[in-house]
Structures are given as C-alpha cells and as structure tokens.
Amino acid sequence: DSGVTQTPKHLITATGQRVTLRCSPRSGDLSVYWYQQSLDQGLQFLIQYYNGEERAKGNILERFSAQQFPDLHSELNLSSLELGDSALYFCASSRGDGANQPQHFGDGTRLSIL
Amino acid sequence: AQTVTQSQPEMSVQEAETVTLSCTYDTSESDYYLFWYKQPPSRQMILVIRQEAYKQQNATENRFSVNFQKAAKSFSLKISDSQLGDAAMYFCAYNYGGATNKLIFGTGTLLAVQP
C-alpha cells in the first residue's frame, strides 16, 4: 500500500460527458502528480501541483483541468470526453517538489468511455 | 528533448535465474535521476530502485541492482534469484532534476517468470 488513495477505481461513462477523479496523497506529501497510461501513448505526465499551486504541465489537453485543495487532495476533471480518453489515470505524490523526491503512485482510476 | 528507450518489449526468465532488463536514455543534462518501476497485473506502480546520476556507485535493493553507465546513457536492471512474484511490466523512468519532478517513462518490458 503506497498510501496514495485514488477514487473511484473504475469509471464508465459516455462520450461528451464530464468526470472527476480524486486523489489523496500520502500523509505529509505536498506534491501531487497526474499521469495517463494508455495503450497508444504509454505513460505520460499530465500535471504537477505543489502545496496548492500548479508547478508543471505536461501533455494535458485543454479539456482537462486539475486543482489541489488546501487539505492537499487533488482532483482531475475531464470534460467533453472522447473515446481516446479511455485510459488508466494515476495520481502520485511526493514529500517535496524536487527531482530527488521519489514519487509514490496510487492504484489508478480506470476510465472507460463507451 | 529527453527520451527513454526500452528495446525489449518482452523478456522471460526461469525461476531462480537472473535476468537483465535494458534501458537507454537521451539527455543533455548532467544532474538527473533514474528509476525502475514495476507494474504487476494488479496495475499498481511500485518503485523498485532509483539512481542519482552524480553517484558512481550502482544502486542495489535486495535482489534488484542496476548497472548505470552514465557516458553510455544506459541504465539496466538486474533481477537475481527471480521469483514468480517478479512477473510484471517494468518501466524505466528519468527525471532531469530541474524545477519540476516530471517522470519520463519508457515503453516498458513485460517480464514473464517460468516455474
């Protein structure tokens, strides 16, 4: 158990819909990261937050947005969903925001678009 | 741009034997970190081992060790005394050590362990 909690574990929805994925970091971790794992794109970094502030953006679509709340949990919002958004979405957390901080991953949310 | 390449899509090893998974990366940075993550069928991402580029000594964690060749930009993972529970997808990852902590992953190597 990494200590990172992601909910829900599995989400099934239709094209055009909007969903919210939730992540609670390990106790004491200030950084939260979101990654997307899909068959065609592999594992890709989406976005990083540190103590409530956006720190870095990766290949995140404009239809996607995220935030980190004062209690340090984070949400990833996906809107106008397309079939290609079907993927496993991971949240990870680390103590600080530097590269020397190992990232600990949650179990992921499997998003299926029908 | 930094890239990570894993040239072995699949590997197989007999139980109790040793296997080496390959990883190469491309970067112009001198300070960075390298990682191996394991993803079993349960789909969790588990940190196996990490290496700081400024350290010449290869990292070791129990049966897992790395062969880090900085000049060659190579970072292989050796698994000794392979166990059935080692069967998983293994991802090599790179973090260049800048202001962000973004991991760049390779495409993975699927390891099968034969009893």
Side-chain angles (χ1 to χ4, degrees), chain A residues 62-79:
Chain A
E62 285 190 9
R63 300 183 286 109
F64 295 2
S65 65
Q67 55 183 329
Q68 185 179 27
F69 294 87
D71 66 352
L72 300 177
H73 91 272
S74 178
E75 292 181 357
L76 178 66
N77 299 296
L78 315 177
S79 61

Side-chain angles (χ1 to χ4, degrees), chain A residues 9 33 37 98 100-101 103, chain B residues 37 39 43 50 95 97 101:
Chain A
K9 291 189 182 303
Y33 313 81
Q37 185 177 29
N100 62 339
Q101 304 286 316
Q103 296 181 28
Chain B
Y37 279 87
Q39 187 176 37
R43 79 186 185 191
R50 75 168 185 161
N95 186 328
N101 198 359

Side-chain angles (χ1 to χ4, degrees), chain B residues 19-73:
Chain B
V19 64
T20 298
L21 309 184
S22 300
C23 173
T24 59
Y25 57 94
D26 186 25
T27 183
S28 58
E29 305 290 338
S30 59
D31 183 23
Y32 51 87
Y33 298 80
L34 296 162
F35 306 85
W36 280 97
Y37 279 87
K38 169 185 177 181
Q39 187 176 37
S42 63
R43 79 186 185 191
Q44 297 170 297
M45 289 290 288
I46 303 166
L47 178 62
V48 175
I49 199 166
R50 75 168 185 161
Q51 175 79 43
E52 294 91 339
Y54 63 85
K55 288 188 178 179
Q56 292 186 337
Q57 185 172 5
N58 290 323
T60 299
E61 289 287 344
N62 300 315
R63 298 181 296 105
F64 298 87
S65 61
V66 299
N67 183 4
F68 173 49
Q69 302 289 328
K70 191 172 184 179
K73 297 180 182 175

